């Protein structure tokens, strides 16, 4: 099926790369609790995907915003096995708007391929 896919491997070589997959603005203003969940699958050696949330990202360069790192369960099988992140509590961001980001990095020696799907925000 369809999913977001990130890889620094191209033209038969590993490439130094940084990519951000950033959600549209998500309105949490009417919630008292909120949870993020998604699925990942990965293959090949390389850097772990970073999951982040921001309440001050306004578009463009992500380094201009403040990002909070989130802990999640990620696929570590090295076999493209879809793995649930679990419910990640983002309740500290309710009352406003947020963006969720998946930050991908690779090096000249390792370019893990990551796939992300079924990104959801739920309330309790």
């Amino acid at each position: 099926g369809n999913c977001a896919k990130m890889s620094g491997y191209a033209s038969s070589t590993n490439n130094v790369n940084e990519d951000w997959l950033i959600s549209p603005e998500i309105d949490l203003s009417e919630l008292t609790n909120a949870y993020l969940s998604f699925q990942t699958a990965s293959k090949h050696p390389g850097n772990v995907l970073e999951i982040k949330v921001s309440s001050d990202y306004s578009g463009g360069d992500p380094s201009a915003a403040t990002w909070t790192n989130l802990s999640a369960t990620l696929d570590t099988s090295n076999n493209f096995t879809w793995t649930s992140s679990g419910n990640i509590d983002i309740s500290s961001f309710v009352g406003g708007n947020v963006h969720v980001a998946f930050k991908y990095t690779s090096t000249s020696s390792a370019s893990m391929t990551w796939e992300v799907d079924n990104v959801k925000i739920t309330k309790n």
Side-chain angles (χ1 to χ4, degrees), residues 60-106:
D61 183 1
S63 67
T66 303
W67 294 94
T68 300
N69 292 323
L70 301 175
S71 295
T73 301
L74 302 174
D75 174 34
T76 57
S77 71
N78 197 25
N79 197 30
F80 283 130
T81 302
W82 285 109
T83 302
S84 175
S85 63
N87 285 327
I88 304 161
D89 190 351
I90 58 169
S91 297
S92 61
F93 291 91
V94 300
N97 298 318
V98 299
H99 289 86
V100 173
F102 298 88
K103 181 182 176 186
Y104 171 87
T105 56
S106 61

Side-chain angles (χ1 to χ4, degrees), residues 19-93:
D19 290 307
W20 289 72
L21 174 63
I22 303 174
S23 75
E25 188 172 74
I26 302 166
D27 181 1
L28 303 180
S29 63
E30 301 295 320
L31 303 180
T32 55
N33 295 302
Y35 299 88
L36 169 69
S37 64
F38 54 89
Q39 292 179 301
T40 58
S42 67
K43 182 102 173 154
H44 310 295
N47 295 340
V48 174
L49 191 64
E50 298 175 49
I51 294 72
K52 300 174 178 284
V53 65
S54 176
S55 60
D56 66 359
Y57 177 70
S58 59
D61 183 1
S63 67
T66 303
W67 294 94
T68 300
N69 292 323
L70 301 175
S71 295
T73 301
L74 302 174
D75 174 34
T76 57
S77 71
N78 197 25
N79 197 30
F80 283 130
T81 302
W82 285 109
T83 302
S84 175
S85 63
N87 285 327
I88 304 161
D89 190 351
I90 58 169
S91 297
S92 61
F93 291 91

